[in-house]
mmCIF file of all heavy atoms in Angstrom:
data_model
loop_
_atom_site.group_PDB
_atom_site.id
_atom_site.type_symbol
_atom_site.label_atom_id
_atom_site.label_comp_id
_atom_site.label_asym_id
_atom_site.label_seq_id
_atom_site.Cartn_x
_atom_site.Cartn_y
_atom_site.Cartn_z
ATOM 1 N N ALA A 305 8.279 -0.715 -23.286
ATOM 2 C CA ALA A 305 7.181 -0.332 -24.162
ATOM 3 C C ALA A 305 7.634 0.436 -25.414
ATOM 4 O O ALA A 305 6.936 0.498 -26.428
ATOM 5 C CB ALA A 305 6.154 0.488 -23.406
ATOM 6 N N ILE A 432 0.028 16.024 -12.959
ATOM 7 C CA ILE A 432 -1.400 16.108 -12.440
ATOM 8 C C ILE A 432 -2.039 14.756 -12.444
ATOM 9 O O ILE A 432 -2.630 14.291 -11.486
ATOM 10 C CB ILE A 432 -2.224 17.117 -13.237
ATOM 11 C CG1 ILE A 432 -1.702 18.555 -13.055
ATOM 12 C CG2 ILE A 432 -3.741 17.026 -12.902
ATOM 13 C CD1 ILE A 432 -2.364 19.568 -13.937
ATOM 14 N N ALA A 451 -1.865 11.322 -20.221
ATOM 15 C CA ALA A 451 -1.420 12.674 -20.575
ATOM 16 C C ALA A 451 -0.830 12.691 -21.959
ATOM 17 O O ALA A 451 -1.073 13.642 -22.697
ATOM 18 C CB ALA A 451 -0.324 13.133 -19.569
ATOM 19 N N THR A 472 -5.364 26.192 -48.508
ATOM 20 C CA THR A 472 -6.195 26.418 -49.754
ATOM 21 C C THR A 472 -5.673 25.580 -50.932
ATOM 22 O O THR A 472 -6.366 25.566 -51.957
ATOM 23 C CB THR A 472 -6.167 27.900 -50.116
ATOM 24 O OG1 THR A 472 -4.821 28.282 -50.318
ATOM 25 C CG2 THR A 472 -6.818 28.759 -49.018
ATOM 26 N N ASP A 473 -4.594 24.874 -50.765
ATOM 27 C CA ASP A 473 -3.982 24.129 -51.852
ATOM 28 C C ASP A 473 -4.568 22.731 -52.017
ATOM 29 O O ASP A 473 -4.564 22.121 -53.099
ATOM 30 C CB ASP A 473 -2.453 24.087 -51.733
ATOM 31 C CG ASP A 473 -1.790 25.393 -51.944
ATOM 32 O OD1 ASP A 473 -2.325 26.188 -52.707
ATOM 33 O OD2 ASP A 473 -0.742 25.604 -51.292
ATOM 34 N N GLY A 495 6.171 4.574 -49.070
ATOM 35 C CA GLY A 495 5.871 4.496 -47.641
ATOM 36 C C GLY A 495 6.214 3.142 -47.041
ATOM 37 O O GLY A 495 6.756 3.124 -45.947
ATOM 38 N N SER A 560 14.433 20.692 -61.204
ATOM 39 C CA SER A 560 15.490 21.666 -60.874
ATOM 40 C C SER A 560 16.653 20.952 -60.128
ATOM 41 O O SER A 560 16.551 20.805 -58.870
ATOM 42 C CB SER A 560 14.893 22.805 -60.014
ATOM 43 O OG SER A 560 15.923 23.690 -59.619
ATOM 44 N N ALA A 568 19.998 19.624 -50.354
ATOM 45 C CA ALA A 568 20.654 18.491 -49.703
ATOM 46 C C ALA A 568 21.914 18.865 -48.978
ATOM 47 O O ALA A 568 22.201 18.493 -47.856
ATOM 48 C CB ALA A 568 20.879 17.402 -50.748
ATOM 49 N N LEU A 594 21.854 11.542 -16.785
ATOM 50 C CA LEU A 594 21.236 10.345 -16.107
ATOM 51 C C LEU A 594 20.569 10.806 -14.783
ATOM 52 O O LEU A 594 19.540 10.263 -14.341
ATOM 53 C CB LEU A 594 22.239 9.243 -15.885
ATOM 54 C CG LEU A 594 22.765 8.590 -17.136
ATOM 55 C CD1 LEU A 594 23.993 7.778 -16.794
ATOM 56 C CD2 LEU A 594 21.686 7.692 -17.773
ATOM 57 N N ILE A 596 18.905 13.349 -14.218
ATOM 58 C CA ILE A 596 17.543 13.835 -14.420
ATOM 59 C C ILE A 596 16.491 12.817 -14.176
ATOM 60 O O ILE A 596 15.355 13.073 -13.743
ATOM 61 C CB ILE A 596 17.413 14.328 -15.916
ATOM 62 C CG1 ILE A 596 18.410 15.496 -16.195
ATOM 63 C CG2 ILE A 596 16.007 14.728 -16.230
ATOM 64 C CD1 ILE A 596 18.469 15.887 -17.669
#
Side-chain angles (χ1 to χ4, degrees):
I432 293 174
T472 57
D473 291 330
S560 177
L594 292 166
I596 297 171

